[in-house]
Amino acid sequence: SQQGEEDPQALSIQEGENATMNCSYKTSINNLQWYRQNSGRGLVHLILIRSNEREKHSGRLRVTLDTSKKSSSLLITASRAADTASYFCATDYQGGSEKLVFGKGMKLTVNP
Amino acid sequence: DAGITQSPRHKVTETGTPVTLRCHQTENHRYMYWYRQDPGHGLRLIHYSYGVKDTDKGEVSDGYSVSRSKTEDFLLTLESATSSQTSVYFCAISNPGGGTDTQYFGPGTRLTVL
């Protein structure tokens, strides 16, 4: 069963705006990752945040992790049309570090 | 991009026929994974491998088998394909550190079972 769940399931914004996506998960984790998937392509890793980290940045991406609430958020600043894609969070389990469990994903549309 | 290829990229087959999908990597990564992606379900793990001849089941392994005789190749076999196995299949590999690190994905195989 899915460990992570993204929210909202779909988001449509204008170019230049910020996009925030949330992920909630059920059990304790070692790390949480965010991936992007362009239509018809494989997933591409964006960022990994470990359970002892609270915030991480990579370019226009900012990820936060709140282990007490079992949630994470991905912020994309100054969005571009090229950011249009599906975004997935993925978590492991503290007791099972060899596998990642992916959420169902959310669709971001950035309108030019 | 990580050196991962999948073959075939597209396949149409009939119910009851055997199908084998191949994942090939040039990165010498220890871990390899097979996922299926379906609308409304996201990405689900079928099987994974943590070394040559070392494999384990994932969330949706029924009806699938895998083999890994070489580090670079991970095969997914549908012994007798069913319409419920129509899906997009992705292979992934991960860093030598194991499954908790970044996974790199192949381009996918679109399988249609009629």
Side-chain angles (χ1 to χ4, degrees):
Chain A
S1 60
Q2 249 76 23
Q3 158 77 315
E5 188 169 325
E6 297 86 354
D7 171 64
Q9 292 190 334
L11 180 63
S12 182
I13 60 174
Q14 296 298 121
E15 220 169 15
E17 293 180 339
N18 296 341
T20 299
M21 290 160 271
N22 302 301
C23 171
S24 59
Y25 58 91
K26 299 172 184 173
T27 64
S28 296
I29 61 172
N30 292 314
N31 70 78
L32 184 144
Q33 304 185 33
W34 285 91
Y35 288 79
R36 183 188 75 230
Q37 183 181 34
N38 292 96
S39 181
R41 309 287 292 273
L43 277 70
V44 174
H45 179 259
L46 295 176
I47 199 164
L48 180 154
I49 186 166
R50 302 199 184 277
S51 59
N52 60 354
E53 298 176 308
R54 291 297 167 258
E55 187 171 312
K56 207 162 182 181
H57 297 257
S58 177
R60 293 184 296 113
L61 305 181
R62 172 179 170 256
V63 169
T64 61
L65 179 64
D66 187 334
T67 54
S68 67
K69 294 181 180 179
K70 292 186 170 59
S71 67
S72 172
S73 66
L74 170 67
L75 169 67
I76 303 175
T77 60
S79 63
R80 306 166 181 168
D83 294 326
T84 294
S86 292
Y87 291 81
F88 296 83
C89 66
T91 59
D92 62 354
Y93 293 97
Q94 274 193 344
S97 62
E98 294 184 320
K99 297 178 285 189
L100 285 179
V101 180
F102 286 81
K104 295 181 181 180
M106 66 88 63
K107 174 67 176 174
L108 173 67
T109 302
V110 181
N111 301 299
Chain B
D1 290 345
I4 311 168
T5 56
Q6 293 184 230
S7 59
R9 294 293 313 281
H10 298 89
K11 186 170 182 66
V12 179
T13 191
E14 295 196 346
T15 298
T17 60
V19 176
T20 295
L21 309 182
R22 179 183 183 233
C23 176
H24 179 77
Q25 60 146 329
T26 58
E27 306 297 318
N28 199 37
H29 284 184
R30 179 182 172 194
Y31 286 81
M32 299 185 74
Y33 304 81
W34 276 109
Y35 294 91
R36 60 178 289 175
Q37 185 175 32
D38 304 288
H41 290 280
L43 218 63
R44 292 180 292 175
L45 181 66
I46 305 171
H47 282 279
Y48 69 101
S49 169
Y50 47 96
V52 173
K53 296 185 180 178
D54 292 323
T55 65
D56 204 351
K57 296 179 179 180
E59 178 189 354
V60 289
S61 59
D62 287 348
Y64 302 94
S65 62
V66 290
S67 65
R68 192 169 178 200
S69 58
K70 299 185 290 185
T71 298
E72 57 266 34
D73 289 325
F74 192 32
L75 304 180
L76 177 70
T77 297
L78 291 65
E79 300 290 348
S80 178
T82 67
S83 58
S84 64
Q85 294 175 313
T86 292
S87 186
V88 181
Y89 292 86
F90 287 99
C91 173
I93 64 175
S94 69
N95 288 349
T100 56
D101 290 314
T102 302
Q103 290 193 8
Y104 299 94
F105 283 78
T109 294
R110 183 172 295 276
L111 176 67
T112 302
V113 183
L114 301 176

